[in-house]
Amino acid sequence: MARMTRKDLLNTQDEFVTTTSTLLTWIRENPSRFAIGAVIVVCILAGGYGFYYWKTTREFDGMHAYMKAADNSQLTLQVAQDYSDTKAGRLAKLRLARMAYDQGNQKMAISYADEFINLWGRKDIFLWQATLITASAYMKQKDTAKALPLLEDCIKSAPKDLKDQALLLKASAQLTLGKNAEAKKTLDAVSENYREIARTMLASQMASSGEKLNAE
């Protein structure tokens, strides 16, 4: 391969200069087309910034409304409806699910919790809260067949505190079904923070069925 000399380098055409020169020539020859293209680019950039600003402002307004609604069911429902496309609107559905559960309306609790789970799109503490609400509501309806798979999901993947609650609910379902040995095994997995609750729950069931408590 021939070695390029300094003279060759100096005589080599600069690609940037060549490209720039060609572009300037095209602009001079096509001023209206260039102007239209420039306007389109500016509109795209402005539209993108405008959408980002609108989205950010809407998220902020939605979260402010969510915090302001607190435990007011009507205001929370309004947030869920008015800001359905925001994080606050989705969290409002989770709050409505919890409120419905506390009020004994299990069907509505399940409906709101399911809506939240389908919209939330990520596995975090909020999703596991909704899953526990759904499972608890099914148990209130005596539908353990639907509750147990949800509890198993929580036990497998939820944070420690929610995992403990799922274990307690699972044990409760097992005790209700008369599966006392399985319930004891489930309660053995409960962390120290919930161990006293587990012992009390198991002792109560054993006493009602006349069995002796052997759990630690």
Side-chain angles (χ1 to χ4, degrees):
M1 180 177 178
R3 185 176 179 181
M4 185 173 285
T5 65
R6 177 178 174 81
K7 182 178 179 181
D8 293 331
L9 288 172
L10 291 173
N11 290 333
T12 301
Q13 220 172 4
D14 190 310
E15 291 185 11
F16 175 75
V17 173
T18 302
T19 302
T20 303
S21 176
T22 303
L23 179 61
L24 291 173
T25 300
W26 182 88
I27 291 172
R28 283 195 297 269
E29 293 174 353
N30 303 274
S32 32
R33 291 175 66 183
F34 171 75
I36 293 172
V39 169
I40 291 174
V41 170
V42 170
C43 287
I44 291 173
L45 292 174
Y49 175 77
F51 176 78
Y52 173 78
Y53 178 79
W54 172 82
K55 184 65 176 174
T56 302
T57 302
R58 184 164 172 76
E59 288 285 350
F60 177 83
D61 291 344
M63 193 57 67
H64 177 72
Y66 172 78
M67 298 298 291
K68 186 177 180 180
D71 285 332
N72 185 307
S73 59
Q74 290 301 315
L75 290 178
T76 301
L77 178 60
Q78 186 173 343
V79 173
Q81 294 172 341
D82 293 348
Y83 296 94
S84 59
D85 59 320
T86 68
K87 183 181 292 186
R90 299 180 188 109
L91 288 173
K93 289 184 182 295
L94 176 58
R95 181 186 285 171
L96 288 168
R98 189 257 303 166
M99 289 177 175
Y101 178 83
D102 291 343
Q103 293 166 4
N105 191 335
Q106 310 310 330
K107 184 177 180 180
M108 185 172 289
I110 292 170
S111 177
Y112 277 127
D114 282 347
E115 283 186 55
F116 172 81
I117 291 171
N118 291 332
L119 291 170
W120 193 240
R122 52 185 173 275
K123 292 186 176 182
D124 57 14
I125 189 171
F126 298 113
L127 182 135
W128 297 121
Q129 286 176 357
T131 303
L132 274 180
I133 289 173
T134 305
S136 300
Y138 277 133
M139 288 182 63
K140 289 283 187 180
Q141 293 180 334
K142 311 295 184 185
D143 194 346
T144 54
K146 289 182 179 179
L148 287 173
L150 297 173
L151 294 174
E152 291 292 356
D153 286 343
C154 287
I155 292 168
K156 181 180 178 181
S157 304
K160 183 178 179 181
D161 187 63
L162 296 178
K163 176 181 177 179
D164 282 333
Q165 293 179 45
L167 285 166
L168 292 175
L169 286 171
K170 179 183 176 181
S172 176
Q174 291 170 328
L175 290 170
T176 300
L177 295 171
K179 299 179 179 180
N180 295 346
E182 292 181 24
K184 289 180 184 179
K185 185 177 179 180
T186 299
L187 290 171
D188 283 341
V190 173
S191 74
E192 195 63 36
N193 293 337
Y194 286 83
R195 187 56 55 84
E196 193 59 36
I197 297 175
R199 283 181 55 83
T200 301
M201 185 174 73
L202 189 56
S204 176
Q205 181 66 21
M206 296 299 104
S208 65
S209 61
E211 296 184 31
K212 185 177 179 180
L213 176 61
N214 294 316
E216 285 295 329

